[in-house]
Amino acid sequence: MDIENQNTVSVTEKTDFAEPPDYRVILLNDDYTTKEFVTRVLMHIFRKTESDAVSLTEKVHRAGSAAIGVYTYDIAVTRTTLTIQRARENGFPLQCIMEKA
């Protein structure tokens, strides 16, 4: 009897991990927050180029809202929170929301 063959075990491992959902961050237009402030927020918090930031600011202004980007949950929460905090510190009512993408 071959002892080596008796101790051989075959293991098949199956791992099914669901990707965490992404979240869309959306800026909402208001009648008080300046376009300059929104553009700065987009550049500093969302790391948009100046050209992209101006374009998105105009889209928010004309359409009433615009999706700024799609991020993992933690990043979306952080950027949404920072945007609202920065707006309040500067006396603006800017709203930033997130939704599952």
Side-chain angles (χ1 to χ4, degrees):
M1 181 191 262
D2 189 353
I3 294 182
E4 284 184 34
N5 289 335
Q6 289 179 341
N7 294 330
T8 303
V9 177
S10 176
V11 176
T12 302
E13 187 174 326
K14 182 178 177 183
T15 56
D16 287 328
F17 293 104
E19 290 287 323
D22 286 332
Y23 287 80
R24 184 176 297 109
V25 175
I26 301 167
L27 280 183
L28 305 176
N29 189 44
D30 63 72
D31 293 333
Y32 302 100
T33 307
T34 64
K35 291 181 183 180
E36 294 80 14
F37 179 79
V38 174
T39 299
R40 279 197 322 264
V41 163
L42 291 170
M43 291 171 60
H44 295 159
I45 295 176
F46 292 92
R47 299 181 183 146
K48 302 294 183 185
T49 64
E50 185 174 4
S51 173
D52 288 343
V54 169
S55 177
L56 283 167
T57 298
E58 285 301 319
K59 185 174 181 182
V60 170
H61 179 69
R62 283 191 314 275
S65 66
I68 304 307
V70 177
Y71 307 96
T72 61
Y73 177 80
D74 290 338
I75 293 171
V77 166
T78 299
R79 292 185 181 182
T80 298
T81 302
L82 284 172
T83 298
I84 293 170
Q85 284 176 345
R86 184 87 37 93
R88 297 309 172 273
E89 289 167 1
N90 287 275
F92 294 117
L94 181 64
Q95 289 295 310
C96 186
I97 61 172
M98 51 187 266
E99 63 184 25
K100 277 190 182 178

